[in-house]
C-alpha cells in the first residue's frame, strides 16, 4: 500500500511531464526533469515550472509527439503539448560566448553529464527520473543542504560565458536566503563589469525578482558588495541600509518606487526610462512618491486620502515610516478608515456632471467645467457641502450665476 501511494504521488506531481518522459523512453531515449523543478523538489518546495532534457534531437522529439511548437529549436528546445506545454531540450554543449551572453554555437550531445555541466549553479545542475531518482554530479543536493549558491565548475568561466549569471546568483540568494560560496562571490567581484554586456531589460527582470523575494535586503546588499551596482545608474550604495525595511507588497513597481525615493540628485524620469520602466510603472512610482511626500508633514489631508488608491496609501505609509524621522500622526488603519468613510470615492460619484453645469448656465463647454467640478469635489470630500443635487445647484447658482 505504501509503495502504491508513493508511485501515485510521483505520477500526480507533474503528470504531463511524466507522460512525455514515458513516451521518450518507450521510443528508446533518455529523458529527465531538470532545472528549478528539481531544485524545488530537493527543497520540498512546490514546483510548477517543469522542464525536460533528453538525448533525443529536436527532430526526433517532433517525430514522437503530434503537437509540438518550435520555440528555440536552433538551441535544441521544442515545446511539447501533452495536456499542458512543456519545454523539451536536447542534451547540448556550448561553444564560446563572444558577447558574454549567448553561446556562439550549440552542439547536441548524447551524455547527460555533459549537458548538466554547462549549467550555472550546482543547485540547478541536477536531474530527476520519473521514479524520483536524483542525478547529481556536481553536489547540488549538498549545496541546498548547506544553503549556498555555487557555480558549476570554474565560476570565472561560468560568468564569462553568461554575465547575467552573476545577477542570477544574487537573485537566488535573495529568493532562497542562501549564501554565495566564496569563490563564486569573488568571481563576481572580479568580473562584475561584464554585466554591461547584458540588456537592461534582463537586468530589470532580475532586480524585480530580488525585490519580490522574501529577502530583498540580502539581495541588494550582495548587489552592492559584489560591485554589480557600480555598472548601473542611480544611488545604490548610500542608502543601502534602508532596503532592510523594504517590502514590495507583491508589486514589482514598488521596488522602483522605493529606489526612486532613495535617490538624491538624480532625475527620476531619466532613471526610470533607462531601466525601461513602462508608462504604467512610471505612473505608479509617481503616485507612491507623491503620497509619501504628502505624508512627510505627519498626516494626509482628506483631499489626499481621496486622491490616492488604498494600495498606494498602504505602500506610501510603510515607505514613509521607514525613511522619515518625524512621527506619523495616525496608524495606517485610521487613515484607511477615514478614506473609506469619505462621502465619495471618485468624481464619478458626484450627482451632477458637466452637462448639468452647461444646462444651468447656457455657457459653452470649456475648461471652466473641470475647474468647477474640482472645487465641488474638494468641498464634498471635506464635508462643506452634501453630495445632493438640489444643494449643489443652490451653491452653484450662488457662486457662479450672480
Amino acid at each position: 500500500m505504501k509503495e502504491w501511494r508513493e508511485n501515485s504521488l510521483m505520477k500526480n506531481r507533474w503528470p504531463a511531464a511524466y507522460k512525455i518522459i514515458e513516451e521518450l523512453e518507450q521510443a528508446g531515449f533518455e529523458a529527465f526533469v531538470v532545472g528549478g523543478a528539481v531544485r524545488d523538489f530537493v527543497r520540498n518546495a512546490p514546483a510548477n515550472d517543469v522542464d525536460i532534457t533528453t538525448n533525443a534531437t529536436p527532430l526526433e522529439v517532433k517525430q514522437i509527439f503530434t503537437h509540438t511548437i518550435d520555440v528555440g529549436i536552433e538551441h535544441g528546445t521544442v515545446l511539447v503539448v501533452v495536456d499542458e506545454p512543456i519545454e523539451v531540450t536536447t542534451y547540448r554543449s556550448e561553444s564560446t560566448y563572444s558577447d558574454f551572453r549567448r553561446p556562439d554555437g550549440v552542439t547536441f550531445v548524447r551524455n547527460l553529464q555533459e549537458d548538466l555541466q554547462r549549467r550555472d549553479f550546482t543547485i540547478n545542475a541536477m536531474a530527476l527520473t520519473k521514479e524520483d531518482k536524483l542525478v547529481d554530479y556536481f553536489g547540488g543536493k549538498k549545496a541546498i543542504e548547506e544553503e549556498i549558491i555555487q557555480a558549476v565548475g570554474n565560476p570565472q568561466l561560468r560568468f564569462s560565458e553568461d554575465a547575467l549569471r552573476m545577477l542570477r546568483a544574487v537573485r537566488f540568494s535573495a529568493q532562497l536566503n542562501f549564501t554565495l560560496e566564496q569563490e563564486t562571490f569573488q568571481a563576481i567581484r572580479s568580473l562584475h563589469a561584464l554585466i554591461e554586456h547584458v540588456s537592461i531589460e534582463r537586468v530589470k527582470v532580475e532586480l524585480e525578482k530580488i525585490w519580490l523575494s522574501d529577502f530583498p535586503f540580502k539581495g541588494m546588499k550582495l548587489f552592492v558588495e559584489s560591485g554589480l551596482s557600480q555598472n548601473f545608474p542611480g544611488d545604490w550604495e548610500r542608502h543601502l541600509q534602508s532596503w532592510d525595511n523594504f517590502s514590495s507588497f507583491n508589486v514589482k513597481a514598488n521596488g522602483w518606487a522605493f529606489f526612486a525615493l532613495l535617490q538624491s540628485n538624480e532625475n527620476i524620469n531619466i532613471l526610470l526610462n533607462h531601466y525601461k520602466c513602462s508608462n504604467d510603472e512610471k505612473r505608479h512610482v509617481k503616485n507612491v512618491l507623491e503620497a509619501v511626500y504628502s505624508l512627510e508633514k505627519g498626516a494626509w489631508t482628506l483631499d489626499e486620502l481621496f486622491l490616492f488608491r488604498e494600495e498606494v496609501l498602504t505602500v506610501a505609509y510603510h515607505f514613509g515610516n521607514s525613511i522619515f524621522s518625524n512621527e506619523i500622526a495616525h496608524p495606517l488603519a485610521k487613515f484607511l478608515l477615514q478614506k473609506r468613510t469619505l462621502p465619495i470615492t471618485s468624481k464619478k460619484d458626484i450627482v451632477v456632471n458637466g452637462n448639468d453645469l452647461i444646462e444651468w448656465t447656457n455657457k459653452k463647454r470649456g475648461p471652466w467645467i473641470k475647474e468647477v467640478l474640482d472645487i465641488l469635489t474638494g468641498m464634498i470630500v471635506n464635508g462643506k457641502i452634501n453630495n445632493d443635487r438640489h444643494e449643489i445647484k443652490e451653491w452653484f447658482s450662488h457662486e457662479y450665476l450672480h
Side-chain angles (χ1 to χ4, degrees):
M1 178 65 75
K2 181 183 177 185
E3 183 180 347
W4 178 87
R5 262 200 315 270
E6 288 176 349
N7 287 336
S8 176
L9 284 171
M10 287 188 288
K11 295 296 182 186
N12 289 329
R13 184 174 292 117
W14 304 305
Y18 289 140
K19 276 186 187 178
I20 293 171
I21 291 174
E22 283 180 359
E23 290 199 41
L24 285 165
E25 289 178 345
Q26 287 170 9
F29 298 104
E30 296 177 354
F32 301 85
V33 175
V34 286
V38 183
R39 178 188 68 236
D40 292 335
F41 167 81
V42 174
R43 295 175 55 240
N44 291 317
N48 298 314
D49 188 14
V50 181
D51 296 323
I52 291 172
T53 191
T54 179
N55 61 349
T57 65
L59 182 59
E60 289 166 335
V61 172
K62 287 166 67 70
Q63 288 172 341
I64 293 168
F65 298 97
T66 56
H67 188 180
T68 64
I69 303 168
D70 297 351
V71 291
I73 198 163
E74 69 278 5
H75 295 114
T77 301
V78 176
L79 200 66
V80 176
V81 182
V82 174
D83 299 331
E84 63 179 273
I86 304 279
E87 281 192 4
V88 178
T89 303
T90 302
Y91 299 165
R92 70 191 196 199
S93 65
E94 296 166 346
S95 61
T96 55
Y97 291 68
S98 55
D99 67 353
F100 304 98
R101 182 66 190 101
R102 302 171 198 80
D104 298 322
V106 168
T107 303
F108 299 143
V109 297
R110 298 286 186 176
N111 181 274
L112 175 63
Q113 183 170 353
E114 193 174 351
D115 176 80
L116 293 176
Q117 72 185 13
R118 70 178 172 81
R119 296 175 186 263
D120 51 8
F121 309 111
T122 59
I123 63 171
N124 296 332
M126 300 177 288
L128 195 68
T129 69
K130 70 178 189 298
E131 295 82 23
D132 282 354
K133 180 182 177 184
L134 189 67
V135 181
D136 182 12
Y137 297 112
F138 306 104
K141 186 172 184 290
K142 184 169 183 273
I144 288 173
E145 290 168 350
E146 295 178 353
E147 299 186 342
I148 60 171
I149 306 295
Q150 180 174 11
V152 175
N154 183 339
Q156 297 265 346
L157 179 60
R158 292 287 84 80
F159 299 142
S160 297
E161 289 169 344
D162 181 353
L164 184 65
R165 288 170 172 168
M166 296 185 287
L167 193 47
R168 279 169 55 84
V170 171
R171 186 251 292 178
F172 280 124
S173 293
Q175 286 180 324
L176 303 176
N177 197 24
F178 282 13
T179 303
L180 275 181
E181 183 265 337
Q182 190 60 25
E183 279 189 41
T184 301
F185 178 68
Q186 291 302 330
I188 297 174
R189 291 195 67 177
S190 65
L191 298 174
H192 68 80
L194 294 181
I195 197 70
E196 292 185 348
H197 294 278
V198 178
S199 73
I200 200 65
E201 289 88 350
R202 301 300 296 271
V203 170
K204 179 177 185 284
V205 168
E206 294 299 322
L207 286 173
E208 288 167 351
K209 287 180 178 179
I210 291 170
W211 295 332
L212 290 169
S213 73
D214 289 335
F215 302 93
F217 176 58
K218 185 186 190 84
M220 297 314 296
K221 195 165 182 286
L222 285 171
F223 182 58
V224 170
E225 291 177 349
S226 66
L228 286 168
S229 64
Q230 297 173 24
N231 303 283
F232 303 103
D235 191 347
W236 295 101
E237 188 172 353
R238 190 163 63 93
H239 297 294
L240 176 61
Q241 196 62 40
S242 296
W243 287 97
D244 197 19
N245 299 313
F246 169 75
S247 171
S248 71
F249 295 89
N250 291 318
V251 175
K252 62 183 182 179
N254 285 334
W256 294 111
F258 197 73
F259 168 67
L261 274 174
L262 300 183
Q263 303 310 300
S264 47
N265 299 319
E266 300 278 2
N267 184 305
I268 301 304
N269 278 331
I270 291 176
L271 275 179
L272 297 180
N273 285 336
H274 176 84
Y275 290 104
K276 307 290 186 183
C277 290
S278 68
N279 288 334
D280 283 344
E281 288 169 333
K282 286 187 277 192
R283 274 192 293 271
H284 181 78
V285 170
K286 180 175 179 288
N287 286 336
V288 171
L289 263 58
E290 286 180 358
V292 171
Y293 295 141
S294 298
L295 190 59
E296 191 169 5
K297 59 187 178 294
W300 283 305
T301 65
L302 293 178
D303 290 311
E304 289 162 349
L305 290 172
F306 173 79
L307 180 63
F308 301 115
R309 292 177 292 112
E310 281 196 17
E311 310 89 89
V312 170
L313 292 171
T314 299
V315 173
Y317 184 91
H318 286 279
F319 286 3
N321 208 26
S322 67
I323 65 173
F324 294 147
S325 55
N326 59 309
E327 190 173 334
I328 298 174
H330 306 301
L332 175 63
K334 183 169 181 178
F335 284 124
L336 295 182
L337 180 61
Q338 283 181 305
K339 179 175 177 61
R340 290 166 191 164
T341 54
L342 291 174
I344 55 174
T345 60
S346 76
K347 283 186 178 179
K348 293 178 181 177
D349 294 337
I350 299 177
V351 294
V352 302
N353 56 37
N355 292 330
D356 295 312
L357 301 182
I358 292 171
E359 182 185 329
W360 295 341
T361 61
N362 290 319
K363 287 176 65 175
K364 290 183 179 179
R365 190 175 297 276
W368 67 272
I369 294 175
K370 181 180 182 303
E371 293 172 9
V372 172
L373 290 176
D374 284 345
I375 294 170
L376 181 57
T377 300
M379 292 183 68
I380 294 171
V381 166
N382 286 276
K384 294 179 179 178
I385 190 172
N386 292 316
N387 188 26
D388 175 82
R389 185 176 178 83
H390 177 73
E391 193 171 331
I392 291 171
K393 186 174 182 180
E394 275 198 358
W395 164 81
F396 181 74
S397 298
H398 182 268
E399 294 293 324
Y400 291 90
L401 300 183
H402 294 289

